[in-house]
Amino acid sequence: MNNPELQISDADAHECQVLQKEEFDVLESIYPECISSQITEGTLKLEIPIEFEEPRNVNLTKDCPSSPTTMSCDRPSESVTLSTLPSLLIELTLPPSYPLYRPPQLVSIRATHFWLARIPLLHNALTNMWNPGEGALYQWVEFLRTGDFLQNLDLVSSIDMSIQLSHPSPHILAPLLIAYDTSSKSSHFSQNSYPCSICLTSLKGSKCLELTCGHIFCRTCLEDFWKMCIEEGDVGRVGCPDPDCVKAGREAVEVEVARVVTDAGVKRWRWLREKRNLDKDPTIIHCPVAACQAPVMKPTDVDQESGWGRLRQCSQCFFSFCAFCRRTWHGPITPCTIAHSEKLVLEYLAAEEGSAERHTIEKRFGRANVQKLVLTYEEEKANKEWLHASTMECPGCQCHVEKSLGCNHMTCWKCRQHFCYRCGERLAPSDPYTHFSIAGKPCYNKLFDFQAEDADWQPVEGFEMI
Amino acid sequence: MDARLRRVNKEIADCKNDKTSNIRIELIDESPFHLKGSFPGPDGTPYEGGHFEVDIVIPESYPFQPVKMKFITKVYHPNISSASGAICLDILKDAWSPVLTLKSTLISLQSLLCSPEPNDPQDAEVAKHYSTSKSSFEDTAIYWTQIYAGGPGPKEKKGKGSSRSDVRDEVAIAGLEKAHVDQFEALGFQRSKVIDVLRRLNYRGANVAQITDDRVVEELLK
């Protein structure tokens, strides 16, 4: 085999040269990433990454020095799932008589991190693939790149098709293989282009994000979407924007949110999620201190019938307050002061402007104070009136909802309760429309509010057929 | 140029280039955020041959908030309000996804015409009609398609029920009640005129209570 003095004719030598050049050009155009050098004096270096079509299980067993070529120690000490294995580095020379009379000569085969133990076997397998007169390099690269050679080297289990590798220290090799797999996956992702179905453009992977459900969107769109939801407090919509995922209610996980929005956004997102969970419990009151707002639980060890039942203390800022009026704790007996001041305001308003009664109240409490109270009272009253007139309270979480458009079947964006916008009744999510279809009920046929201006619908007269 | 405008322009262009879907999107005025979509009624339904127009309003935070759509063309369908054209479809509300486009949403509306869901009625009167007598419902839907959406009308249904069309009750097909028509006819107006006016005013179901007799008479005197 090692007979470098094989004599060939000039014509054959020329043909070999042409064929070698052709083969190299083909290889370079198909697998540019596998070629790490030009042919210099017949020597060529290849670096071939191994990429499986689907992730495969790889079992790493401890190599026993007594029997280096067979796997006698069959205890798998590490098991990992990988889509890629580190590159094989191959150095070879192309003899002047290749491919007509001689195969390529392998100078060396190296596996990064020494993950492959059976290199001599691979040597033979590759050399045997050559048929006189045919180029072997393309088959070699294909054979290695796809991982088909593992089968030839008897490294694939016939039972579950997992790959069996032996190594002196599997616990060191396993994390290296995983790290390589992750980094090659992410570089693969960032090199490809993906269409973002929100901005309807195609972007480089480095500008995109693959969510755990497998859907890919550009980071800018995800950021715009999630930022808006987080700002508006609509935490339930922070998830994959794909229609199926929206219907399934798939919410994003923290690492995804953290990769898309700012740190402040992540904090607010986390806070909103906690708040949403707490809001499901109606006994929880938020601390009235504007800067605190911590959730305050209802004490369990207190007689609810006594005045003490309305005492709450914030666990964060230790503010003690009355659960009814949300003001500083005023003892178990004293009634809420808000009622008192309201009484005063009502008394004041009942009296005529410029009357002696008004004058007395103004004198007793100070004109400016009374004016302030009246203003607050009127503001609150207007607020309440507006809430009553233009919104409906969700029967699930008491959140006021204002309808801008559409039918009267509402779904609360906060607690997902289905309800009727007309009467506030809870509706079954499975069958929300019966409420509007039972003759005789007040909401019968009232799924839509009648708007007089819509009655001006006209038939299309002289309509041109298209 | 902001992302919303870019996306809407792309969607309009995409719809223009797509000759196969038959979905059209046009500007109503200068603004690209108030549009008119239209599509043909699906074949094999009472809406066949009709041309249906939909009012489209693109909200400020589109595509993250759902597009607002309602029918401009009057439609006789259990899931569409016969009074306002409002549509109560999940994808226009909580099942909206930013991935959905104007075109895909209009296609969803088109397929809604194919498959009425009388168990999720948006218009209880129409749904009742649909559930009690499907053929009578279809007659009305064909009639509405003809007069509001430029459909071919019942004549297209060749060979089937030609004798029935002779005796078909104009009042029922217009979706009105005989008692109402009789009431105004008794005031001395022509029967066909009464039917025309009541139909235009949508004098049906719960709307009857909302429209005063004076209003009807006023229209009749026009």
Side-chain angles (χ1 to χ4, degrees):
Chain A
M1 193 172 147
N2 286 328
N3 182 9
E5 284 108 48
L6 181 78
Q7 291 300 312
I8 53 166
S9 70
D10 285 353
D12 280 353
H14 180 71
E15 198 187 339
C16 284
Q17 220 176 344
V18 171
L19 287 170
Q20 284 183 20
K21 174 84 174 70
E22 253 173 32
E23 194 180 11
F24 180 79
D25 288 346
V26 167
L27 204 60
E28 195 177 35
S29 62
I30 301 176
Y31 299 119
E33 73 278 9
C34 294
I35 293 173
S36 49
S37 79
Q38 296 292 313
I39 304 178
T40 41
E41 290 168 21
T43 306
L44 176 64
K45 277 183 176 172
L46 300 174
E47 181 168 344
I48 303 161
I50 291 115
E51 290 163 354
F52 307 127
E53 275 178 15
E54 277 174 14
R56 292 176 72 171
N57 284 328
V58 179
N59 293 323
L60 304 174
T61 42
K62 185 146 174 65
D63 194 13
C64 293
S66 57
S67 53
T69 51
T70 56
M71 284 189 292
S72 53
C73 314
D74 268 350
R75 322 166 261 113
S77 47
E78 299 280 346
S79 183
V80 286
T81 305
L82 302 170
S83 306
T84 55
L85 280 169
S87 304
L88 292 174
L89 312 173
I90 294 176
E91 193 175 333
L92 53 88
T93 54
L94 300 176
S97 53
Y98 167 81
L100 292 182
Y101 306 109
R102 299 280 303 274
Q105 301 294 306
L106 285 158
V107 179
S108 68
I109 301 179
R110 282 197 181 83
T112 317
H113 307 312
F114 303 100
W115 62 268
L116 185 66
R118 298 184 182 184
I119 291 197
L121 285 174
L122 184 58
H123 247 271
N124 294 339
L126 289 174
T127 310
N128 291 338
M129 281 170 79
W130 174 74
N131 290 317
E134 286 173 23
L137 296 185
Y138 176 80
Q139 275 94 327
W140 281 14
V141 172
E142 194 59 19
F143 180 61
L144 297 171
R145 203 184 58 85
T146 53
D148 287 349
F149 70 99
L150 295 164
Q151 190 93 44
N152 274 50
L153 301 189
D154 217 10
L155 292 172
V156 178
S157 154
S158 53
I159 307 156
D160 59 357
M161 297 304 285
S162 65
I163 296 161
Q164 314 290 331
L165 297 178
S166 59
H167 192 268
S169 39
H171 65 282
I172 294 174
L173 182 61
L176 289 171
L177 292 183
I178 292 168
Y180 177 83
D181 194 47
T182 318
S183 81
S184 70
K185 246 192 242 164
S186 77
S187 78
H188 195 250
F189 182 79
S190 64
Q191 275 164 15
N192 278 4
S193 281
Y194 300 92
C196 170
S197 41
I198 297 179
C199 56
L200 309 176
T201 46
S202 201
L203 287 124
K204 271 252 181 283
S206 52
K207 292 196 171 8
C208 294
L209 187 67
E210 183 174 4
L211 301 173
T212 38
C213 52
H215 294 113
I216 298 167
F217 296 96
C218 88
R219 284 166 188 262
T220 321
C221 286
L222 278 179
E223 186 183 350
D224 286 347
F225 182 33
W226 289 358
K227 210 173 83 185
M228 184 200 81
C229 296
I230 291 170
E231 268 168 21
E232 291 185 351
D234 198 353
V235 71
R237 284 182 77 206
V238 180
C240 175
D242 182 82
D244 292 333
C245 289
V246 168
K247 279 194 180 159
R250 207 197 72 79
E251 288 185 18
V253 294
E254 184 154 344
V255 279
E256 291 172 339
V257 179
R259 285 171 76 180
V260 171
V261 302
T262 58
D263 195 44
V266 178
K267 276 201 186 107
R268 183 167 155 81
W269 174 79
R270 214 184 291 138
W271 177 77
L272 282 166
R273 298 235 315 177
E274 276 166 20
K275 191 168 173 294
R276 179 182 61 180
N277 293 339
L278 291 169
D279 281 350
K280 284 180 184 154
D281 183 352
T283 62
I284 288 170
I285 297 173
H286 290 274
C287 174
V289 176
C292 178
Q293 303 269 309
V296 182
M297 311 278 180
K298 187 178 176 180
T300 47
D301 53 348
V302 173
D303 175 15
Q304 293 302 319
E305 298 301 307
S306 82
W308 292 104
R310 59 187 191 212
L311 169 65
R312 298 282 187 282
Q313 192 181 39
C314 175
S315 59
Q316 296 293 310
C317 68
F318 302 107
F319 178 61
S320 296
F321 61 98
C322 164
F324 292 4
C325 64
R326 319 254 162 127
R327 288 177 179 226
T328 314
W329 177 239
H330 47 76
I333 295 151
T334 321
C336 299
T337 45
I338 191 144
H340 188 74
S341 64
E342 197 172 322
K343 209 174 110 199
L344 178 82
V345 170
L346 286 175
E347 221 170 89
Y348 181 80
L349 289 176
E352 256 174 67
E353 210 168 319
S355 64
E357 287 95 330
R358 280 202 173 191
H359 201 64
T360 319
I361 296 172
E362 277 169 13
K363 254 194 158 172
R364 188 182 295 156
F365 302 103
R367 197 180 143 79
N369 283 338
V370 175
Q371 292 296 342
K372 219 185 278 166
L373 278 177
V374 169
L375 212 67
T376 329
Y377 171 80
E378 279 177 346
E379 216 168 81
E380 261 176 37
K381 203 174 124 191
N383 255 340
K384 263 187 207 152
E385 273 167 11
W386 179 82
L387 281 176
H388 184 75
S390 5
T391 69
M392 178 49 80
E393 202 179 71
C394 164
C397 65
Q398 279 74 50
C399 174
H400 282 268
V401 179
E402 186 191 9
K403 188 183 83 172
S404 59
L405 185 106
C407 68
N408 285 323
H409 162 221
M410 305 297 278
T411 312
C412 178
W413 63 278
K414 248 175 122 182
C415 68
R416 302 275 157 222
Q417 171 76 48
H418 292 247
F419 64 97
C420 170
Y421 189 73
R422 288 192 80 249
C423 67
E425 197 175 302
R426 286 170 195 255
L427 305 179
S430 55
D431 190 19
Y433 296 108
T434 32
H435 179 75
F436 304 98
S437 316
I438 301 167
K441 277 244 198 169
C443 293
Y444 172 61
N445 221 351
K446 293 277 170 60
L447 185 70
F448 288 97
D449 297 309
F450 181 76
Q451 290 153 310
E453 70 265 30
D454 288 325
D456 290 336
W457 254 352
Q458 297 295 322
V460 273
E461 266 152 339
F463 184 81
E464 283 174 9
M465 284 295 286
I466 294 160
Chain B
M1 194 164 62
D2 74 329
R4 174 174 75 137
L5 184 60
R6 231 176 357 234
R7 167 153 162 167
V8 171
N9 282 340
K10 245 178 211 163
E11 286 196 48
I12 296 172
D14 172 55
C15 227
K16 248 192 204 119
N17 295 333
D18 182 1
K19 299 276 183 284
T20 51
S21 69
N22 279 323
I23 306 279
R24 292 182 29 168
I25 299 173
E26 297 153 61
L27 293 170
I28 288 183
D29 41 44
E30 297 290 287
S31 161
F33 304 127
H34 188 196
L35 305 165
K36 188 169 80 178
S38 59
F39 55 82
D43 288 354
T45 68
Y47 313 99
E48 185 176 344
H51 175 83
F52 294 90
E53 297 192 331
V54 177
D55 183 78
I56 303 170
V57 176
I58 315 260
E60 197 70 38
S61 40
Y62 181 81
F64 305 123
Q65 293 292 5
V67 60
K68 291 175 180 174
M69 286 194 181
K70 67 172 198 173
F71 274 94
I72 298 170
T73 311
K74 241 170 128 90
V75 191
Y76 199 73
H77 187 282
N79 305 96
I80 298 157
S81 166
S82 64
S84 65
I87 312 147
C88 206
L89 194 64
D90 61 348
I91 57 159
L92 291 175
K93 294 167 78 187
D94 49 343
W96 170 260
S97 142
V99 171
L100 297 173
T101 61
L102 299 177
K103 191 171 88 180
S104 68
T105 312
L106 287 169
I107 290 172
S108 298
L109 292 186
Q110 197 181 24
S111 58
L112 180 70
L113 293 186
C114 292
S115 46
E117 289 277 347
N119 298 328
D120 273 11
Q122 317 303 301
D123 192 307
E125 279 295 315
V126 182
K128 204 173 84 188
H129 195 181
Y130 181 89
S131 320
T132 36
S133 166
K134 200 160 171 228
S135 73
S136 157
F137 160 83
E138 282 183 351
D139 281 348
T140 308
I142 291 168
Y143 179 69
W144 280 42
T145 306
Q146 183 192 4
I147 58 167
Y148 298 114
K155 278 160 246 150
E156 287 284 298
K157 279 177 122 187
K158 276 173 196 149
K160 189 190 161 196
S162 58
S163 59
R164 197 185 60 186
S165 71
D166 295 331
V167 294
R168 78 174 200 274
D169 185 352
E170 248 190 308
V171 176
I173 283 173
L176 300 169
E177 276 185 37
K178 195 171 171 295
H180 294 143
V181 177
D182 290 347
Q183 177 197 340
F184 290 103
E185 197 185 10
L187 296 175
F189 294 102
Q190 244 182 21
R191 191 171 176 84
S192 60
K193 174 105 181 162
V194 172
I195 292 173
D196 188 47
V197 164
L198 293 185
R199 192 194 63 217
R200 275 219 319 271
L201 289 174
N202 204 38
Y203 200 80
R204 305 162 47 252
N207 294 345
V208 171
Q210 309 270 351
I211 305 166
T212 62
D213 288 1
D214 286 353
R215 173 87 201 274
V216 178
V217 172
E218 192 184 300
E219 286 290 320
L220 282 165
L221 288 171
K222 266 186 190 168

